[in-house]
Amino acid sequence: MTTCTTNTIGVFLVDDHRATLWGLERLIDSASDRMRLLGSATSIDELLATPAAFDADVLVLDLDLGGVDASVALPELGRRLRARILVLTGYRDHDAQCRAVAAGARGVVRKEESVEQLLRAIEQVHAGDIWVNRGMIDDIMGLLKGQRAEHDERDARIAGLTQKENEVIAAVLRHRGAKSLVIAESLGISEHTLRNHLTTIYHKLGVHGRLELYVYAKEHQIGATNP
């Protein structure tokens, strides 16, 4: 690794092929006037277990980590790391690259591109720019609009729940797997009234049954906190 200076970009590398990592490490070291290598990993777990990763300015991440699509980890990495994420991929799948950017990557570089392109991409992403093929921009915007519409619809459904319905959901969460009678008694209502409330809740949230309601409520943190 190169000596740390205040003017260089701290780079962390993630690729499951050690030979590729070795080459990338040499590449970053060769640009020591512009950037410094903080470390490398071969998996997301190894990345998150390495303290140096949390100091990086730019994370260069291979999308295919041993057959695992690393794009699914992008939202979590965006929350836990301060680094801007640049995807380095051998994928030719245009949609997969767009999804990666929509999920939080700040750029995509194909492995077949020149090493100077990769170095420029690291600098541009560090500077706050997006590094993507112009042909991807419209598709990425379409994905983001679709995600916003989906989130808005979900928020509207949740906002449409009444206080009593939130209390019913909270009871379902507290008494996971319990019989309807137990849940109804905890709410001071009859089983018939509980079934009516649940039918309305299922319709509002677009779920089918108590198990789906439980998972949905846990995922989106809904339901009154007190009985």
Side-chain angles (χ1 to χ4, degrees):
M1 296 184 187
T2 58
T3 303
C4 174
T5 67
T6 57
N7 296 324
T8 54
I9 303 166
V11 179
F12 197 94
L13 306 168
V14 184
D15 195 298
D16 64 316
H17 293 97
R18 294 191 181 278
T20 301
L21 272 182
W22 184 88
L24 290 172
E25 290 167 353
R26 303 290 81 74
L27 174 63
I28 301 303
D29 284 341
S30 73
S32 59
D33 58 324
R34 295 179 274 172
M35 53 194 70
R36 66 191 186 281
L37 178 65
L38 295 186
S40 61
T42 58
S43 68
I44 298 297
D45 288 342
E46 186 181 350
L47 159 69
L48 294 175
T50 306
F54 293 84
D55 296 324
D57 299 308
V58 176
L59 173 68
V60 179
L61 175 69
D62 185 5
L63 273 189
D64 182 7
L65 294 177
V68 176
D69 184 358
S71 64
V72 300
L74 286 171
E76 179 186 2
L77 295 178
R79 289 190 298 269
R80 298 184 61 178
L81 304 179
R82 71 179 185 87
R84 294 185 169 102
I85 301 172
L86 175 65
V87 165
L88 178 64
T89 181
Y91 282 167
R92 290 183 175 274
D93 187 338
H94 177 83
D95 291 340
Q97 295 174 29
C98 290
R99 287 194 299 271
V101 176
R106 300 300 296 269
V108 177
V109 176
R110 293 282 305 281
K111 287 186 175 181
E112 63 192 37
E113 295 185 52
S114 69
V115 294
E116 190 55 40
Q117 283 286 89
L118 174 57
L119 295 177
R120 285 181 55 202
I122 291 172
E123 291 178 308
Q124 292 296 103
V125 165
H126 176 252
D129 293 334
I130 300 292
W131 184 277
V132 295
N133 185 301
R134 289 184 179 180
M136 294 174 60
I137 294 176
D138 288 343
D139 292 335
I140 292 168
M141 292 303 296
L143 279 173
L144 292 174
K145 287 179 181 178
Q147 290 176 356
R148 283 196 295 269
E150 182 179 334
H151 292 164
D152 289 347
E153 180 182 355
R154 182 199 67 203
D155 291 345
R157 289 183 174 189
I158 294 172
L161 295 168
T162 66
Q163 178 60 32
K164 189 63 179 180
E165 288 162 354
N166 273 284
E167 292 173 2
V168 170
I169 293 171
V172 169
L173 293 175
R174 286 196 308 273
H175 302 287
R176 180 186 178 187
K179 294 181 178 180
S180 296
L181 179 60
V182 174
I183 298 174
E185 288 180 345
S186 74
L187 292 164
I189 61 178
S190 69
E191 284 188 84
H192 176 74
T193 302
L194 173 63
R195 283 195 295 271
N196 287 341
H197 281 308
L198 287 174
T199 298
T200 302
I201 291 168
Y202 298 157
H203 177 72
K204 285 184 176 181
L205 299 181
V207 299
H208 302 86
R210 276 170 50 186
L211 178 58
E212 283 191 27
L213 174 60
Y214 180 89
V215 173
Y216 188 96
K218 292 289 284 186
E219 181 179 358
H220 301 299
Q221 299 181 332
I222 60 175
T225 55
N226 296 307

